[in-house]
Amino acid sequence: MESAWVVLFWIVAYGVESKVQNAAPVFSKPQTNDQQTSCFENIGLSLSIYRVSASDADGDTVTVAFHSQNPPEPPFQLTKAIIGWNLMTPASTAIDRETTPTFKFVFSATDGTYTVQSVELTLILTDQNDNSPQFTAISYSASVYDTASAGAVILTIHATDADVSASITYTITEGNVAGTFSIASDTGELKLDTPGNLNSATTATYSLTVEASDGTNTNATTVTIHVLGVFISSSDGVVLTLTPCQRGCTVIAGIAFNITCQRSDAAVAWFTWDIDNGHTHVRSNALTQTLAIARAGVNSTLSFVPERKHHGWNIYCSAYKIEDKSPFYAERTRLQVLYGPDKPIFKVGVQYMNSTTVNIIEGKNISVECCGNSNPLAAVTWYNTRSQTNGAWLNFTNISRNSDGIFTCTLENQMKASDNNERYGRNESDLNLEILTPPTAPTISYSGNHILKSINIIEGKDYDFYCTSSGKPSPQIDWKLLNSTTEHDVLQIRKVGALHNTTITCCAKNHMIPAVGVPEHGLECTHLNLNVLHKPTFAFNDTYDVKENDSFNVTCTQQNMNTVVTWVRQGDDKWSESNNTIYWTDVRREQSGNYTCKLRYSITDSFKNFSSGDSEHSFHLNVEYPASVITFEAVRHSDSIVVNEKESVTFRCNATGNPSPKIQIKNTNRVQKQRNAVSLRYTENMTCTHTGKYSCYARNIINEEESKSKDIDVVVKCSPRPASNMPSELNFTTTLHSIVVLNFTVIAYPEPQPSDYVWKKCDVEESNGHLQCFPLVDEGHFNVSIVDLTSYLTISDFIQHDIGRYVLTVQNGVGNAWNQTFLVVIKDKPEAPLLFYESTAPHSVILKTTAGYSGGISQSIILLYKNIHASEWIKVDAISDVPTNYTFSCTLTGLDSNMNYSAMTYASNELGNSTTVSIYFTLAVLEKSYKPEAPLLFYESTAPHSVILTTTAGYSGGISQSIILLYKNIHASEWIKVDAISDVPTNYTFSCTLTGLDSNINYTAITYASNELGNSTTVSIYFTPAVLEKISLTYSLAGGGIGLLVCIVVAFVVYKFKCRHHSGVIKIKADRDEVVENPMYIPAGDSFLYQVSRIIPELPHPSADDATIYSSPYSYGKEAPYDAEKNVSENIYHNVYDDVQCGEFEEDEFWSDFSDEDCEVNPSEVGQSVSTL
């Protein structure tokens, strides 16, 4: 007995659990009643031809694959579909019925645990006409006598077609001169059609092309026809006759044959014999011949032994006359050489076998042809011990393994020569037909017992499994376990490890090589599911973290069959449990500890092997609970502490929790110190910032919210200082007429009182450059408020005068006061510049521009002019980096004195442009000279006991002017000269500060202008410092227009011919844009408020008749006669509107009772003029 190879597997313990399977996959297609399908050959590559379907009752994922394909080439494909799997044609080779008419498939399906095979599916390829006819010979050759009759059959041509549905027709396509020949389209029989065309002397050979067609495909062969003729003497008509055959002789190869050549007359002649095949010529001296003189004439007999090569040759004799030696010939006689069969050989398809053994794969179709040369054609007989078949073909369809054996092929023929000599020919060969079969499904056995599908084995035991299979050639056995494969008959498993539901596979394979066709691989596999029975393993972890009050359960083992379980707790002899699973509904922290499960087990495998033993394992239960603060204290202090700065205070906090808590000590939600521990100590040298509520917080991953202790209040005495959120620099940028709010927050204890916060405005004195600060009063323009420790300064309408530094001083009686400086600047569009004009020479004008406030950033001034009838403006100048109140002049020359002109200016900075200011002028008017116009006079108070007097020069009359300014106590008789300035240009403004004034005394100031033609009218104002210190000069501009509309109402009371001396505030509105000659701009719809004074008629110079009332620091006009009845003068330029509606006043009414509605300009009558009271 042949020894078996053995492989030894060591299986390690994996400790991997898998799902217990209750059902194997099941094929729904193919099934026993559905095992056949078909498709056309050459259908195409990678096309779906069948749907394979398998499922698992457990709902597991099923994977389908090829178990076997027979034959294996070309390989088909199996791809996953939405439902099932698609059987696909090969990817690179088309399937051909003539090569392989059928394929057989077996599929496997696995769910990861079980693997099953399907029934066999047969694919039958449907024939398509894709092959050309094939002739049985490469070319054909035949002979015909030129004396042959019509219809004589020359030869039969035969072709075959591999396509079963093919029907072959034959046609002569070339070489059939004059229709000499014809061919039967269905049989291929070639006949003589027109014998009169044959003449061996003129055309000895015909070459025909014959085509065979199956209706789609064609093939062609060449047929050569030799024309044979009879030679006779042309001189005397003597004929040579051959006997026993005249035109053809049948001879037997190897058997002597005699032929006689006879003259038709009695003349004596010499005879010569010739034999040829058209290429080779043999003279008679090469043949055995006899020369004899007959009594009735002359003849010659040739005796020769023909060979097979002489078949088809021609033999003839020639006779030479004795007297003239001239030859003439007998008719050519064609030799037909008969011979017995050669040793038979075998042919499968178009391939001749070199061996007498033919291998064929089971289930295939085969036709074996027995071939052997003979003449005449031999009869073929096939026989074996079971049957006998006549004919050259031995045919098998879907051959089975029972069809193998020895088949004998016998060739027999009967030969008869023209001389009536007969012979019998016979020959035979044996064919050994071997059927190749794929392996049978392997059989797995253990200890001589056949095993089906699944067994139980025990962990730690040894097992030997045997695998057997039959097939031809004998199969090779492969075992597959896990990822290993071995080629041995026996699988030895040693020390079975911790495997679950493992599958071992035995595969039998062989390689079947047929005599013809494509070799195939046979493969059959059998799967065996191994269910490893383990010693009970413990189903729990080494540690469990459980939250307090949660439920908890733990199972000792999953393999509890024949197992006794006991639970114990370390350090607690009173507690035990006999259930496999212990369960607590409400875990407490006291249940933390180590628990042990003890097992006693016994297990048996499928072969009655037995194993038993004891084992134990422990786990630790860790009960987690939230963190909580136990105690929090300030060491040696109560819960309310007042300390000095730099005094040390220590806090201590204790907490509990599992996991260990994170403890934080906070001051008003600011973490001072923290760490992960159950105790935390924090010591701090107190500063002002440490004032607050101190608390301790504890938390771990279990807490939903932090655990918080009581609060300990700590107050640190300290002087005022900035709060931590205050910036180091307090610089602000704003815009004109906006609301500015300055705020500052301090920390200090005790907290400062409202009176401890003092806001001041600081300005640099022009005289000495020192910073001088003045306290701000909480009223009107400035508002001071305090919220907690934050002080607010609100500037309600920010004007240019408000630009500068502000200082907040805070004190609380502890240490030094805190002084905080604020810087407020403006960054806005520039204000409109002022534009003036004057003429100092014929045909020229001087345009003077005074820059307004720049908006806090660099500004440019643009100046343009034009003839009022021109469309384009001419740029006069554009000056960059112009400071506020800067004045520059430009002279326009070469102007037409009788032409009207317009000039325009505006300012521009990076935020935009100012409004545009325009003026109109005519040189014919400007070139005249006048006495100067009265200047403007204003006053304001910025400090106690002082007043600032501001004077703006009017039009100089075209020549140099001086401005004189005086003031006095109204009870004094003498005026005090403040200033007298010479060469003052039009609109020039200058200020003087009067100091040391008595706040409770009334004062008056006057100003006038003087040039060489005389003095202007006198302007006077009255003021009381006590009143001015309460009322600030304010104005508001809002509304739009180009040009100026000003209505100035001067405070007065008319009671018959008397005037009251009081101060007041009036409101003036502009209602729409207008271009006026006066270069001040008030936007339409806005208003301004201005402090004005009552004007009285008691003026020392000039007389009351010359008194003029002025409306604005920028307006000017011609004087009007004094009206004693109205006690009012009118200052009119161009058209004068005198319908200003003013209310009536009683003698004792104060000017402050004069409302906004008491003086309004009619909006419908606003034009290029100014009306004043």
Side-chain angles (χ1 to χ4, degrees):
M1 178 178 178
E2 185 180 357
S3 61
W5 289 89
V6 178
V7 61
L8 182 63
F9 275 85
W10 295 92
I11 304 178
V12 299
Y14 287 87
V16 178
E17 294 187 7
S18 65
K19 179 181 177 181
V20 176
Q21 300 291 330
N22 297 321
V26 175
F27 280 94
S28 56
K29 195 174 182 182
Q31 291 184 334
T32 305
N33 59 353
D34 178 22
Q35 292 184 248
Q36 192 174 94
T37 187
S38 64
C39 71
F40 284 105
E41 63 173 331
N42 302 316
I43 187 175
L45 303 178
S46 298
L47 296 178
S48 177
I49 56 175
Y50 188 80
R51 178 69 56 81
V52 181
S53 181
S55 59
D56 190 293
D58 299 323
D60 297 323
T61 300
V62 175
T63 302
V64 176
F66 284 111
H67 177 73
S68 64
Q69 175 188 320
N70 191 11
E73 297 295 335
F76 283 69
Q77 306 173 78
L78 202 59
T79 62
K80 186 71 177 72
I82 296 177
I83 301 177
W85 299 74
N86 288 330
L87 177 62
M88 311 285 286
T89 56
S92 58
T93 304
I95 49 179
D96 182 28
R97 188 203 66 83
E98 286 69 43
T99 302
T100 309
T102 60
F103 290 89
K104 294 184 178 181
F105 305 94
V106 176
F107 307 99
S108 66
T110 180
D111 60 5
T113 300
Y114 297 103
T115 302
V116 298
Q117 286 81 47
S118 69
V119 298
E120 185 176 71
L121 174 69
T122 300
L123 172 64
I124 301 174
L125 301 187
T126 303
D127 184 47
Q128 288 187 307
N129 191 3
D130 59 344
N131 291 280
S132 301
Q134 300 295 320
F135 289 94
T136 56
I138 297 175
S139 62
Y140 295 85
S141 178
S143 300
V144 62
Y145 287 101
D146 54 9
T147 58
S149 301
V153 177
I154 300 172
L155 81 162
T156 299
I157 298 169
H158 184 66
T160 61
D161 195 309
D163 297 316
V164 296
S165 59
S167 177
I168 300 176
T169 58
Y170 303 90
T171 308
I172 300 174
T173 59
E174 295 181 13
N176 190 13
V177 180
T180 304
F181 307 97
S182 64
I183 190 169
S185 63
D186 55 345
T187 63
E189 197 173 62
L190 186 67
K191 298 179 181 180
L192 180 63
D193 203 40
T194 309
N197 293 338
L198 296 180
N199 187 336
S200 61
T202 59
T203 306
T205 302
Y206 286 86
S207 180
L208 306 179
T209 298
V210 176
E211 183 180 88
S213 173
D214 61 8
T216 301
N217 309 292
T218 61
N219 203 354
T221 189
T222 301
V223 180
T224 303
I225 300 176
H226 301 281
V227 180
L228 305 177
V230 179
F231 296 90
I232 61 175
S233 173
S234 60
S235 58
D236 54 9
V238 176
V239 177
L240 295 176
T241 303
L242 298 176
T243 56
C245 47
Q246 183 64 28
R247 293 185 175 179
C249 289
T250 301
V251 297
I252 299 174
I255 305 299
F257 182 78
N258 296 323
I259 184 171
T260 300
C261 180
Q262 178 72 45
R263 283 177 60 96
S264 62
D265 60 359
V268 177
W270 294 96
F271 290 89
T272 303
W273 290 91
D274 293 90
I275 183 169
D276 67 60
N277 63 355
H279 305 287
T280 303
H281 185 82
V282 181
R283 299 293 298 178
S284 60
N285 55 7
L287 303 173
T288 301
Q289 60 178 339
T290 300
L291 180 62
I293 300 174
R295 286 191 294 269
V298 178
N299 61 31
S300 175
T301 300
L302 174 68
S303 177
F304 73 103
V305 179
E307 301 177 26
R308 290 172 62 169
K309 69 178 182 178
H310 294 138
H311 181 73
W313 289 36
N314 298 312
I315 189 170
Y316 58 93
C317 69
S318 60
Y320 292 86
K321 294 180 180 181
I322 298 300
E323 58 273 16
D324 58 8
K325 295 183 180 181
S326 59
F328 64 97
Y329 301 91
E331 180 181 6
R332 294 175 183 268
T333 297
R334 183 178 178 85
L335 293 178
Q336 181 179 5
V337 180
L338 307 180
Y339 51 89
D342 292 338
K343 183 75 172 176
I345 60 175
F346 304 111
K347 180 181 178 184
V348 179
V350 296
Q351 181 178 344
Y352 288 96
M353 300 292 100
N354 295 324
S355 170
T356 58
T357 298
V358 174
N359 295 330
I360 181 68
I361 298 175
E362 182 181 24
K364 301 294 184 181
N365 301 332
I366 190 171
S367 294
V368 182
E369 183 181 5
C370 181
C371 303
N373 288 331
S374 67
N375 193 13
L377 189 66
V380 182
T381 303
W382 286 94
Y383 66 89
N384 66 356
T385 57
R386 298 185 296 272
S387 63
Q388 178 174 319
T389 302
N390 295 324
W393 297 92
L394 181 64
N395 298 313
F396 292 93
T397 300
N398 195 18
I399 194 168
S400 66
R401 64 184 65 192
N402 298 326
S403 301
D404 62 351
I406 303 297
F407 292 82
T408 301
C409 175
T410 301
L411 301 179
E412 297 175 312
N413 67 351
Q414 185 73 31
M415 297 168 287
K416 183 176 182 180
S418 296
D419 60 0
N420 293 321
N421 192 3
E422 294 188 44
R423 291 287 188 275
Y424 172 74
R426 186 179 187 280
N427 214 332
E428 66 179 29
S429 293
D430 291 336
L431 171 68
N432 181 19
L433 185 63
E434 290 192 355
I435 311 302
L436 305 179
T437 59
T440 58
T443 299
I444 300 176
S445 60
Y446 173 80
S447 297
N449 298 317
H450 177 56
I451 304 172
L452 295 176
K453 292 188 177 180
S454 180
I455 60 170
N456 296 330
I457 60 176
I458 298 176
E459 177 186 7
K461 297 290 185 181
D462 299 336
Y463 294 90
D464 294 342
F465 296 102
Y466 293 83
C467 182
T468 57
S469 174
S470 62
K472 196 170 191 178
S474 295
Q476 172 186 307
I477 301 299
D478 289 346
W479 281 100
K480 296 180 181 178
L481 175 59
L482 301 178
N483 295 320
S484 300
T485 302
T486 184
E487 299 177 357
H488 299 289
D489 297 341
V490 180
L491 174 65
Q492 290 188 338
I493 300 178
R494 297 291 179 264
K495 306 297 181 185
V496 175
L499 303 174
H500 291 268
N501 296 328
T502 300
T503 299
I504 61 174
T505 301
C506 173
C507 292
K509 61 182 180 182
N510 63 4
H511 190 199
M512 298 170 287
I513 305 175
V516 292
V518 179
E520 296 183 7
H521 293 276
L523 177 66
E524 286 289 341
C525 295
T526 297
H527 306 281
L528 178 62
N529 295 317
L530 300 181
N531 181 25
V532 182
L533 303 178
H534 301 281
K535 300 172 184 178
T537 57
F538 295 96
F540 53 85
N541 300 326
D542 292 339
T543 302
Y544 289 95
D545 296 326
V546 182
K547 293 181 182 180
E548 189 175 31
N549 302 323
D550 283 356
S551 62
F552 172 71
N553 66 85
V554 62
T555 299
C556 180
T557 179
Q558 298 294 345
Q559 299 106 343
N560 57 358
M561 295 180 60
N562 301 319
T563 303
V564 177
V565 177
T566 302
W567 286 96
V568 295
R569 181 182 179 185
Q570 270 185 346
D572 188 354
D573 296 337
K574 297 181 180 180
W575 185 91
S576 65
E577 180 66 57
S578 59
N579 292 325
N580 188 36
T581 300
I582 56 177
Y583 182 78
W584 293 305
T585 59
D586 187 11
V587 177
R588 309 301 302 168
R589 64 186 70 180
E590 295 80 11
Q591 291 173 304
S592 295
N594 295 321
Y595 295 81
T596 301
C597 178
K598 297 182 178 181
L599 298 175
R600 175 164 293 178
Y601 64 90
S602 62
I603 49 179
T604 305
D605 67 9
S606 298
F607 313 109
K608 308 303 180 184
N609 296 314
F610 177 81
S611 178
S612 63
D614 296 311
S615 62
E616 64 180 43
H617 189 62
S618 300
F619 74 89
H620 176 72
L621 178 62
N622 178 39
V623 180
E624 298 177 334
Y625 50 91
S628 61
V629 177
I630 300 174
T631 61
F632 178 57
E633 63 177 346
V635 179
R636 296 187 300 275
H637 288 282
S638 66
D639 292 343
S640 181
I641 307 171
V642 177
V643 296
N644 296 318
E645 276 197 291
K646 299 182 180 180
E647 184 176 336
S648 176
V649 177
T650 298
F651 299 92
R652 184 165 55 206
C653 182
N654 296 314
T656 185
N658 185 25
S660 180
K662 178 180 181 180
I663 302 178
Q664 293 180 326
I665 294 178
K666 299 181 181 180
N667 174 12
T668 317
N669 294 324
R670 294 191 304 273
V671 177
Q672 304 299 310
K673 189 174 182 180
Q674 63 182 16
R675 73 174 177 180
N676 292 328
V678 296
S679 179
L680 178 61
R681 184 183 181 95
Y682 164 57
T683 300
E684 186 63 71
N685 291 325
M686 294 297 171
T687 66
C688 196
T689 58
H690 292 107
T691 295
K693 291 183 180 295
Y694 284 78
S695 305
C696 180
Y697 295 82
R699 187 171 192 168
N700 60 18
I701 60 174
I702 310 302
N703 287 74
E704 293 183 359
E705 295 182 355
E706 288 182 311
S707 173
K708 179 179 178 297
S709 71
K710 63 184 178 181
D711 292 332
I712 298 178
D713 293 321
V714 177
V715 175
V716 182
K717 294 181 179 180
C718 59
S719 61
R721 64 201 66 189
S724 59
N725 61 343
M726 296 307 298
S728 58
E729 293 186 1
L730 295 170
N731 299 331
F732 299 93
T733 300
T734 185
T735 59
L736 286 173
H737 310 302
S738 61
I739 297 175
V740 175
V741 179
L742 307 180
N743 68 86
F744 190 73
T745 303
V746 298
I747 55 175
Y749 188 82
E751 292 186 3
Q753 298 302 309
S755 59
D756 294 330
Y757 296 88
V758 178
W759 285 91
K760 291 175 272 186
K761 173 71 166 62
C762 299
D763 295 310
V764 177
E765 289 190 356
E766 295 181 359
S767 60
N768 55 21
H770 293 162
L771 191 67
Q772 186 173 3
C773 299
F774 302 96
L776 299 178
V777 180
D778 181 16
E779 60 181 0
H781 191 57
F782 297 100
N783 177 263
V784 176
S785 60
I786 297 171
V787 178
D788 295 329
L789 293 174
T790 301
S791 179
Y792 297 88
L793 172 64
T794 302
I795 306 173
S796 60
D797 181 18
F798 198 87
I799 59 177
Q800 185 176 348
H801 181 73
D802 295 328
I803 298 173
R805 290 180 176 84
Y806 293 82
V807 175
L808 172 63
T809 300
V810 186
Q811 60 184 356
N812 68 343
V814 178
N816 297 324
W818 181 267
N819 293 298
Q820 181 63 46
T821 300
F822 298 78
L823 178 61
V824 184
V825 296
I826 290 179
K827 191 173 183 180
D828 200 353
K829 291 181 182 180
E831 291 183 337
L834 303 180
L835 180 59
F836 314 96
Y837 58 91
E838 64 179 330
S839 177
T840 58
H843 308 291
S844 67
V845 164
I846 298 175
L847 298 178
K848 296 183 180 181
T849 302
T850 300
Y853 180 58
S854 65
I857 49 181
S858 178
Q859 68 174 342
S860 298
I861 303 297
I862 296 87
L863 177 61
L864 308 98
Y865 85 100
K866 71 170 184 173
N867 179 328
I868 61 172
H869 302 293
S871 59
E872 298 294 331
W873 290 89
I874 301 171
K875 181 181 279 191
V876 178
D877 208 345
I879 304 177
S880 302
D881 297 325
V882 180
T884 301
N885 294 324
Y886 176 76
T887 300
F888 63 94
S889 301
C890 294
T891 301
L892 307 181
T893 60
L895 302 179
D896 188 338
S897 297
N898 297 314
M899 185 65 66
N900 292 324
Y901 291 90
S902 176
M904 176 177 68
T905 187
Y906 62 91
S908 177
N909 64 14
E910 66 183 41
L911 299 181
N913 297 334
S914 71
T915 54
T916 302
V917 175
S918 301
I919 60 172
Y920 292 83
F921 57 89
T922 304
L923 293 183
V925 176
L926 293 177
E927 290 169 2
K928 299 177 181 179
S929 296
Y930 303 93
K931 290 192 293 185
E933 291 181 338
L936 303 179
L937 180 59
F938 314 96
Y939 60 91
E940 63 177 328
S941 176
T942 59
H945 310 295
S946 66
V947 166
I948 298 175
L949 299 177
T950 301
T951 301
T952 299
Y955 178 55
S956 67
I959 52 181
S960 177
Q961 68 175 342
S962 298
I963 301 297
I964 296 89
L965 177 63
L966 306 97
Y967 85 101
K968 72 170 183 172
N969 179 325
I970 60 172
H971 302 293
S973 60
E974 296 295 329
W975 292 90
I976 301 171
K977 181 182 248 184
V978 179
D979 209 344
I981 303 176
S982 302
D983 296 326
V984 179
T986 302
N987 292 323
Y988 177 77
T989 299
F990 63 94
S991 299
C992 295
T993 301
L994 306 181
T995 60
L997 302 179
D998 188 336
S999 298
N1000 297 312
I1001 297 297
N1002 292 326
Y1003 293 87
T1004 180
I1006 61 172
T1007 186
Y1008 61 92
S1010 176
N1011 66 13
E1012 63 186 34
L1013 298 181
N1015 296 333
S1016 71
T1017 55
T1018 301
V1019 176
S1020 64
I1021 59 173
Y1022 288 81
F1023 56 90
T1024 302
V1027 176
L1028 294 178
E1029 289 167 11
K1030 298 180 180 179
I1031 302 176
S1032 299
L1033 174 65
T1034 65
Y1035 66 90
S1036 169
L1037 295 179
I1042 302 174
L1044 174 65
L1045 175 62
V1046 178
C1047 175
I1048 296 296
V1049 179
V1050 180
F1052 68 95
V1053 176
V1054 179
Y1055 180 67
K1056 295 185 178 181
F1057 301 103
K1058 296 181 181 180
C1059 294
R1060 298 289 184 180
H1061 304 282
H1062 296 285
S1063 296
V1065 179
I1066 63 172
K1067 182 175 183 180
I1068 301 162
K1069 290 186 177 179
D1071 290 73
R1072 67 179 184 182
D1073 292 348
E1074 291 294 345
V1075 176
V1076 299
E1077 292 191 4
N1078 193 313
M1080 178 177 178
Y1081 177 72
I1082 299 178
D1086 282 9
S1087 61
F1088 71 80
L1089 297 176
Y1090 205 86
Q1091 178 75 33
V1092 298
S1093 295
R1094 301 275 310 274
I1095 295 180
I1096 61 174
E1098 296 100 343
L1099 296 178
H1101 176 77
S1103 66
D1105 293 338
D1106 296 325
T1108 305
I1109 304 171
Y1110 289 89
S1111 60
S1112 162
Y1114 304 118
S1115 65
Y1116 61 95
K1118 297 287 181 69
E1119 58 186 288
Y1122 179 75
D1123 188 336
E1125 290 294 323
K1126 296 183 179 178
N1127 198 16
V1128 178
S1129 65
E1130 294 181 336
N1131 187 355
I1132 305 170
Y1133 196 74
H1134 289 306
N1135 299 320
V1136 177
Y1137 292 96
D1138 56 2
D1139 60 340
V1140 178
Q1141 300 168 1
C1142 295
E1144 297 293 335
F1145 296 91
E1146 296 298 330
E1147 180 177 4
D1148 295 328
E1149 287 182 319
F1150 288 100
W1151 182 258
S1152 57
D1153 295 330
F1154 191 75
S1155 66
D1156 293 347
E1157 291 79 10
D1158 291 330
C1159 185
E1160 283 192 358
V1161 176
N1162 190 330
S1164 65
E1165 297 174 341
V1166 176
Q1168 295 185 352
S1169 64
V1170 178
S1171 295
T1172 63
L1173 290 178

